[in-house]
Amino acid sequence: MAHAFFLGVDVSPADGDGAPDVTHALFEKSKEDSDEPATYRLNRIRDHADVASADDLADHVQGLVADQPYIGRTSLIVNRGADFGAALVGALEDRGMDPVAATLTSGGGAVAGDPDEIGVHLGGGDVLRRFVNLHRDGRLRLENHATEAASRLARDVQALSERLDEIDGDMEALGETQTDGLSFDPAATHITSAALAVWLGSERSFDPSQRLKTSPQTDAGA
């Protein structure tokens, strides 16, 4: 069975002098055989309260991906929209890691970043819809976790799935074939970190050294 790990980090801007809200989510992508679509299993998710600095969080991430079974098989993606997110990307790069720097937009689609960086511009609503569609297709595994962060993720993904059913049903009744999809909430770091991790997993093969596709996608993927 082929498998690889994908770690997503999301940052919500701090209010005033407070610490930013930070969540990391780690998913395992696996395939039983080449003819089946990949599934994505939540390995762990953690909210980080009172993070002292981007360097401290980078040290934590570096230690995490250096452990078994993640070492050599984990790819990283960070939402760099907030100042802390951009600083975290730099801190991870300083430690020899190569995180994908994601810029989430209110538009749609996906565009590769600058040629001299590992980056991508993504429509937040599209990434969210792709994540929820995997849940609807039974390819997202969120069970068997006792933490509050994991429970909240499972509850909110189910609620988003029900909302997407309503949206798609309304559009079908109107004779439409497309919809702008779900609303993207920049403060929902537990959702965004997970959605980014799974998006990266669907864009990459099981080879962690593989770069992003030249034309990344936001529709249903591998």
Side-chain angles (χ1 to χ4, degrees):
M1 180 178 72
H3 67 113
F5 298 94
F6 297 89
L7 177 67
V9 183
D10 186 41
V11 181
S12 180
D15 294 328
D17 296 330
D21 293 326
V22 182
T23 303
H24 83 251
L26 181 64
F27 278 79
E28 179 182 3
K29 174 184 178 180
S30 62
K31 264 190 177 185
E32 292 292 340
D33 59 60
S34 59
D35 295 329
E36 294 184 359
T39 59
Y40 300 86
R41 182 181 65 85
L42 178 65
N43 188 280
R44 64 173 68 190
I45 183 169
R46 176 181 171 185
D47 295 323
H48 296 268
D50 300 325
V51 178
S53 68
D55 283 321
D56 284 350
L57 184 56
D59 286 340
H60 175 80
V61 171
Q62 184 180 38
L64 172 61
V65 301
D67 286 341
Q68 293 289 353
Y70 315 118
I71 186 168
R73 290 186 288 182
T74 303
S75 300
L76 310 176
I77 184 167
V78 177
N79 179 4
R80 66 167 173 196
D83 290 343
F84 187 95
L88 178 60
V89 169
L92 291 169
E93 290 174 341
D94 289 344
R95 286 157 177 76
M97 291 178 276
D98 58 349
V100 174
T103 300
L104 296 173
T105 71
S106 59
V111 180
D114 296 334
D116 60 346
E117 69 173 1
I118 308 175
V120 65
H121 294 255
L122 299 169
D126 290 341
V127 172
L128 185 58
R129 171 179 272 272
R130 184 174 187 168
F131 183 63
V132 174
N133 275 336
L134 286 169
H135 172 72
R136 297 164 86 192
D137 293 341
R139 295 171 57 192
L140 204 59
R141 305 281 190 263
L142 304 176
E143 62 273 8
N144 300 324
H145 290 275
T147 66
E148 174 56 30
S151 297
R152 185 158 50 102
L153 176 63
R155 290 194 304 269
D156 288 353
V157 169
Q158 180 59 37
L160 288 169
S161 178
E162 293 170 0
R163 174 58 184 147
L164 191 55
D165 286 341
E166 294 175 2
I167 292 172
D168 288 347
D170 290 344
M171 298 306 291
E172 183 177 351
L174 292 172
E176 301 287 345
T177 58
Q178 293 183 344
T179 173
D180 289 337
L182 303 170
S183 297
F184 171 63
D185 181 3
T189 57
H190 61 303
I191 292 287
T192 305
S193 59
L196 284 173
V198 171
W199 178 87
L200 183 60
S202 62
E203 285 293 305
R204 285 186 169 172
S205 70
F206 292 95
D207 178 2
S209 66
Q210 183 194 38
R211 297 291 185 175
L212 278 177
K213 299 173 184 175
T214 304
S215 299
Q217 304 295 316
T218 52
D219 56 355

